[in-house]
Amino acid sequence: MAARFTVGPTQIAIFPPSEVIPQTRAYYQAERFGLTRMARLSLGAPRLLHAGFIFDKYQFYYVIYQPLQGLTLTEFCATAKPLAKSTLGRQIGTMLTRLNTEVPAFGPTAAQSTEWDTLGPDFVAERTAWLQVHTVTPNQFVHGNLVGGNLIVTSGELGLQRFSAAHQAAKQTELVPLILQAFNDDTDLLAGFKETYQTDDLEKDLLLGLLLRVDGPQQIQALHPGAPVTLAAVQQVIAQRLS
């Protein structure tokens, strides 16, 4: 979404002109809104210093911030002991409970996938019927890309970075990259997360996230390679991943 450069103790994110990416202003707004929201909630994130746009041959939006100093989640977990990882999992659960709440409209509009038919007409029918009886709140704040490189472990604190993919969506969509990619089957992280993340049914929430995300078809194919794919089969894989 942006080119990022380090300038002394600061970083600058420069967004491509609208001639290249039509939604570039929305991605800029998402970055700015996300950093401001994190500061307002007193959650760990880069500190926003300045934001705006400049004219050259084209118009470029930019955000200047003081980055977090620390290790990515992936780097931290490579050497951390089980207790440290479970503690971090609890911090992540607490953070998302505070962060994924309702917000006014901002940033890019959540995209809808057009590739569900690649999973077969039976799965499409199952998905439609399941979503009809499981309602969600669609205007909650989600970071959108909680992979291991975007969670930063600082000295005694957890932080998030890179908010250009942030948008309004159901909070369940946030769980997909976090649990399936960032946690990378780490049982200590998952155990700590379960202790503090507020939900009545984590398995159902993760399935909802998969069925609602624009990359849902690809995520499901990665979970359950081969055909045919059924909703029951996906639920079984989710239960195994969360056990």
Side-chain angles (χ1 to χ4, degrees), residues 11-12 28 32 47-53 62-65:
Q11 288 186 354
I12 179 169
Y28 155 77
R32 183 172 179 174
R47 184 165 68 90
L48 178 63
L49 301 175
H50 188 68
F53 60 87
Y62 66 86
V63 176
I64 302 174
Y65 53 88

Side-chain angles (χ1 to χ4, degrees), residues 3 49 51 63 94 202-203 205 210:
L49 301 175
V63 176
T94 299
L202 187 58
E203 290 183 18
D205 281 352
L210 281 166

